[in-house]
Amino acid sequence: MRRAAAWSTRIPGGPDGRRMLWIALMDRIGSGLWASVSVLYFTYVTGLSVAQIGTLVAAAGAVGIAGAPLGGRIADRLPLTHVLIALQLLRALASFALLTTDNYALLLAFSAAGSFGDRAANVLTKLYATRVAGPDRVRYQAVNRTVANAGWALGGLVAAAALTIGTTAAYQWLLAGDAVSFVAVALATARCGEPPSATRTIATSKDPVPATRPASPWRDRTYLAYVATETVLFLDDAVFKVGLPLWIAHSDHAPHGLAPLLMVLNNVMVVTLQVPLARFGATTAAARALLMPLSAVFALGGAAMALSATGGVVAVTLFLTVAAAAFTVAEMLHATVSWELSVALAPETAQGTYLGVHGLAQAAQRSVGPLAVTAAIAAGPPGWTLFGTVIALTCVFQHRIVRDRLTRPALSVLPVTVSEH
């Protein structure tokens, strides 16, 4: 009992870990300011059409996909904090640059640069946590995710208040606030120490090292299969961003005001439950075992969505609430499993490169996710049942494919350190 209490209150990672939590808070507050108004900014301030905005968002997202693997590869060769600082400054410059023009080509280029920096920084922040928190990496990521969600909500509230003004200046100040947050994050990151890195120790060691071909996730069939299954398991994100709002909008009985309330429910559950739930996947073996209950929760979410097509207002509201709660629990459980397995399956000497490839799963989901949930909506209740079933079976498949790889010792503690001079 005493061990459980200590696990729930202690923040791993030492002083640098705590600094990175403040950095996550500042980062997400800034992102919350901009994410809530980006479409409105491009519509009312720069005067883009719906088609232009859609193309801009899609193109920037496509460029952002490259940020994860490239960022991870660079971080295996250069000091991680230096790369993170450069990426945050890139995001700041891209945001400031958007304020300077209404030229479509330039807006597209600046948005793409910001998207690249965002996806790369997201992967490298995870890599930093992996290195600084050691065996407590799952708990650290859980705390980090809780703080990030709180920051996102705070930024969104500030943006909502600013939107009541509705002037061009209000939109511009929100974008400027986003840019300033990245500058603050870069300055704060400069105060963080460089975490241990097996890759850079080997690269700088004076002792002779046998010439071996560096590990590559692109030649690792097990890891690539794992990343492919991850793309499916990340589909809960599309449920909240696209699936639930559209399903409610086309329902004859669901109150249309229910959609934002379910988003609030999602946010509150993540903030309050992510850390307690993370303790159930604190080791590699526990994380793999968690895939089986995760499978059941995904199936429950799909079934509840299907059942929400029946009954009156009360029944529909109840089933949609159950579905939202189930997909939120699935989101939190999968986050815990994903944080641990993505690192445990990677060699110590190529963690950045491997995590970069793992980052492709989330990026790919952003493209296929909306298509998957709209297909489920078009098919009606059977579509949602199939949607939940497919993800549930994917959990079972992932549980099987990682089994052999995880028979070797987990890579929770790096046995080496790096001295910077």
Side-chain angles (χ1 to χ4, degrees), residues 141-156:
Q141 286 282 18
V143 176
N144 182 78
R145 191 165 191 263
T146 300
V147 170
N149 270 268
W152 189 278
L154 182 58

Side-chain angles (χ1 to χ4, degrees), residues 184-198:
V185 165
L187 292 174
T189 303
R191 297 186 58 197
C192 294
E194 182 67 19
S197 168

Side-chain angles (χ1 to χ4, degrees), residues 356-402:
V357 171
H358 180 262
L360 291 175
Q362 261 185 314
Q365 183 281 140
R366 293 186 177 188
S367 297
V368 303
L371 297 176
V373 295
T374 51
I377 292 172
W384 281 115
T385 303
L386 179 62
F387 180 87
T389 302
V390 169
I391 305 179
L393 291 175
T394 304
C395 291
V396 177
F397 180 64
Q398 185 179 109
H399 183 271
R400 182 178 179 83
I401 64 173
V402 303

Side-chain angles (χ1 to χ4, degrees), residues 42-396:
F42 289 130
T43 300
Y44 298 117
V45 178
T46 61
L48 301 185
S49 66
V50 173
Q52 286 177 316
I53 294 174
T55 302
L56 182 146
V57 172
V63 173
I65 291 176
L70 287 178
R73 188 173 180 84
I74 293 171
D76 274 340
R77 289 157 175 76
L78 299 175
L80 179 54
T81 50
H82 295 181
V83 180
L84 271 171
I85 291 169
L87 289 171
Q88 299 297 358
L89 292 177
L90 172 64
R91 296 169 79 191
L93 289 172
S95 295
F96 278 126
L98 289 173
L99 289 167
T100 66
T101 183
D102 57 3
N103 179 274
Y104 185 66
L106 292 177
L107 290 172
L108 185 62
F110 297 149
S111 297
S115 179
F116 178 93
D118 177 72
R119 299 312 304 164
N122 185 59
V123 168
L124 297 194
T125 299
K126 178 180 177 180
L127 179 60
Y128 190 97
T130 296
R131 291 177 176 175
V132 78
D136 288 329
R137 60 175 176 248
V138 171
R139 167 162 171 73
Y140 182 86
Q141 286 282 18
V143 176
N144 182 78
R145 191 165 191 263
T146 300
V147 170
N149 270 268
W152 189 278
L154 182 58
L157 289 174
V158 174
L163 287 179
T164 60
I165 302 173
T167 63
T168 296
Y171 291 119
Q172 291 172 330
W173 277 110
L174 289 172
L175 177 53
D178 183 38
V180 169
S181 75
F182 297 140
V183 175
V185 165
L187 292 174
T189 303
R191 297 186 58 197
C192 294
E194 182 67 19
S197 168
T199 307
R200 299 192 61 245
T201 298
I202 291 174
T204 58
S205 174
K206 295 180 181 179
D207 297 329
V209 178
T212 58
R213 194 178 191 184
S216 169
W218 301 109
R219 297 190 295 269
D220 189 331
R221 294 182 179 180
T222 298
Y223 201 82
L224 290 178
Y226 166 71
V227 171
T229 59
E230 284 285 85
T231 303
V232 179
L233 269 56
F234 276 121
L235 287 175
D236 61 82
D237 182 65
V239 171
F240 283 99
K241 289 183 178 178
V242 180
L244 274 169
L246 279 180
W247 186 247
I248 291 172
H250 290 84
S251 171
D252 294 330
H253 300 290
H256 287 189
L258 183 62
L261 293 178
L262 294 180
M263 290 296 293
V264 171
L265 173 66
N266 170 265
N267 194 265
V268 170
M269 287 181 66
V270 171
V271 170
T272 57
L273 298 176
Q274 182 70 76
V275 173
L277 284 177
R279 63 183 301 231
F280 295 106
T283 66
T284 303
R288 177 176 177 262
L290 206 57
L291 283 166
M292 302 313 291
L294 175 60
S295 173
V297 176
F298 270 124
L300 173 62
M305 288 293 290
L307 290 171
S308 70
T310 63
V313 174
V314 175
V316 170
T317 301
L318 176 62
F319 281 125
L320 286 174
T321 303
V322 171
F327 279 116
T328 300
V329 172
E331 173 189 341
M332 293 184 288
L333 292 179
H334 176 237
T336 298
V337 173
S338 181
W339 294 330
E340 177 62 22
L341 295 187
S342 60
V343 177
L345 291 168
E348 288 177 352
T349 55
Q351 283 182 339
T353 304
Y354 270 69
L355 289 179
V357 171
H358 180 262
L360 291 175
Q362 261 185 314
Q365 183 281 140
R366 293 186 177 188
S367 297
V368 303
L371 297 176
V373 295
T374 51
I377 292 172
W384 281 115
T385 303
L386 179 62
F387 180 87
T389 302
V390 169
I391 305 179
L393 291 175
T394 304
C395 291
V396 177

